[in-house]
Amino acid sequence: MFMGTMWSLTYKQHVRDINRPIFIVAILLLLLSTVHIVVNIIRVENGLVKYRDTYPGGPRAFFADISEETYVIKHALYVLQTLLADGVVIYRCYVVWQSVWVIILPSMLWCSVAVTGVTAVYSVSQSSSSTSVFAQDLAMWIMGFLISTIAANASSSGLMAYRIWTIERNIARLRAGSKSTMMPVMHVLMDAAILYSVALFTALVCYVCSNNGDVIMVDLAVPIISIAFYMVLIRIAVNRQHNYLPNVGTNVETRQSGNVQQYPMQPLQVHISQFTSSDNTSAHEIGNERPSGRRSPTWTLVK
């Protein structure tokens, strides 16, 4: 999926037209996911092989120790990736709405994610080996982190979906039987939001129930974050390719008695009316995650 994302960002694009921030985010998500997997492998090897007979209490005590170095590192990576992914979702919301006021609440929730996440990781690193991850002083920060990231993701995705739906509803009557190009974008964004939210909600439920399944869900959430991000870019790029329309030629060819004759098309005078809307978001802009300023497209209708 990373290679597909690179294709969606660079296919038929000049170097100066590539959205560098999104390009960098895609690479950072790959690096964080890869490092997280490597840390997990090292942790499993240390617990089951390297310190199997030397760690007090054996492998069970090793994996229960939340102050262990690999445990702290992998959760720090998870917090960083969550901040990166939630920031991208909020940025997409800004691109769609072109208004800072709309993203005030998601931005405040993102700050809450940062504060609770960093504090939780720091508290874990300073705890003793006998401290449980479900201890009350840790539970406050961990639950706050999970609830904040769920709320930030849900609010940003909901605002994007509502904006796209209103744009589609306003221009639906102006389309002469053509297929919608905005609804597939909304479906892609909602699919990614639901996938991510379900994983986080499952982790939250497991943690509230003091179930160790939250460890599994957190490990799954790291690749899901990258998958959801890549999925949006790839599917929007594919949608752009499918909606490509060839240019209409300026000559008409006819065949008579085996000879090809060309007739130039004459100018045709028509009366048109213009309808201007302030909705300036397109599927291409959402795919490239780049705001295009306060421009208003003009739709023309032939009478």
Side-chain angles (χ1 to χ4, degrees):
M1 294 192 72
F2 173 76
M3 298 303 296
T5 301
M6 294 297 101
W7 166 82
S8 68
L9 292 174
T10 59
Y11 182 69
K12 292 184 179 180
Q13 296 284 339
H14 195 274
V15 176
R16 65 172 177 269
D17 296 328
I18 297 175
N19 193 335
R20 291 179 177 83
I22 297 300
F23 189 87
I24 294 173
V25 169
I27 295 176
L28 288 177
L29 288 177
L30 174 69
L31 293 177
L32 289 173
S33 299
T34 303
V35 174
H36 186 269
I37 293 175
V38 172
V39 172
N40 268 334
I41 293 174
I42 294 175
R43 177 173 171 79
V44 171
E45 182 185 4
N46 289 344
L48 298 180
V49 179
K50 189 174 182 180
Y51 301 120
R52 176 183 181 129
D53 301 323
T54 58
Y55 195 88
R60 183 174 182 176
F62 177 86
F63 291 113
D65 184 5
I66 62 174
S67 63
E68 203 273 327
E69 182 179 10
T70 55
Y71 184 91
V72 176
I73 292 175
K74 77 169 190 173
H75 282 82
L77 292 171
Y78 169 62
V79 171
L80 289 176
Q81 191 164 19
T82 299
L83 290 173
L84 192 61
D86 289 350
V88 170
V89 175
I90 295 173
Y91 178 65
R92 285 173 179 164
C93 185
Y94 169 74
V95 170
V96 173
W97 281 90
Q98 291 291 292
S99 174
V100 177
W101 296 102
V102 176
I103 63 171
I104 289 179
L105 177 59
S107 298
M108 293 175 62
L109 292 171
W110 185 88
C111 294
S112 175
V113 173
V115 171
T116 55
V118 172
T119 305
V121 172
Y122 177 78
S123 299
V124 166
S125 66
Q126 299 300 312
S127 61
S128 62
S129 58
S130 60
T131 304
S132 172
V133 71
F134 304 109
Q136 185 175 0
D137 55 340
L138 294 177
M140 176 180 62
W141 298 110
I142 295 176
M143 290 180 61
F145 170 80
L146 292 174
I147 293 174
S148 297
T149 185
I150 291 174
N153 181 69
S155 60
S156 300
S157 301
L159 289 170
M160 280 191 294
Y162 174 75
R163 180 62 168 172
I164 295 173
W165 177 76
T166 54
I167 294 173
E168 178 64 23
R169 184 187 60 180
N170 290 335
I171 67 175
R173 60 186 181 86
L174 302 176
R175 290 197 307 266
S178 60
K179 294 179 62 176
S180 170
T181 59
M182 298 299 292
M183 294 307 291
V185 176
M186 188 182 74
H187 294 159
V188 171
L189 294 173
M190 294 309 298
D191 287 346
I194 292 173
L195 176 65
Y196 183 40
S197 298
V198 167
L200 292 176
F201 184 76
T202 305
L204 177 61
V205 171
C206 290
Y207 187 82
V208 170
C209 297
S210 300
N211 190 300
N212 288 326
D214 72 300
V215 178
I216 299 175
M217 293 310 305
V218 167
D219 288 340
L220 287 177
V222 173
I224 287 176
I225 291 173
S226 300
I227 291 172
F229 175 80
Y230 297 150
M231 179 177 67
V232 171
L233 295 178
I234 293 173
R235 290 181 62 178
I236 290 178
V238 171
N239 183 66
R240 286 205 307 264
Q241 296 296 320
H242 288 171
N243 285 282
Y244 170 79
L245 296 177
N247 296 326
V248 179
T250 58
N251 292 328
V252 177
E253 293 186 357
T254 61
R255 294 181 179 271
Q256 295 181 354
S257 304
N259 297 323
V260 177
Q261 299 180 1
Q262 292 189 350
Y263 298 92
M265 297 181 64
Q266 299 298 326
L268 178 64
Q269 183 177 2
V270 296
H271 298 282
I272 63 175
S273 62
Q274 293 184 340
F275 175 78
T276 303
S277 171
S278 61
D279 297 325
N280 59 344
T281 303
S282 64
H284 179 74
E285 291 175 2
I286 297 174
N288 285 324
E289 316 292 345
R290 179 179 298 167
S292 56
R294 301 299 297 179
R295 296 180 301 171
S296 296
T298 300
W299 300 303
T300 60
L301 298 177
V302 179
K303 287 186 177 179

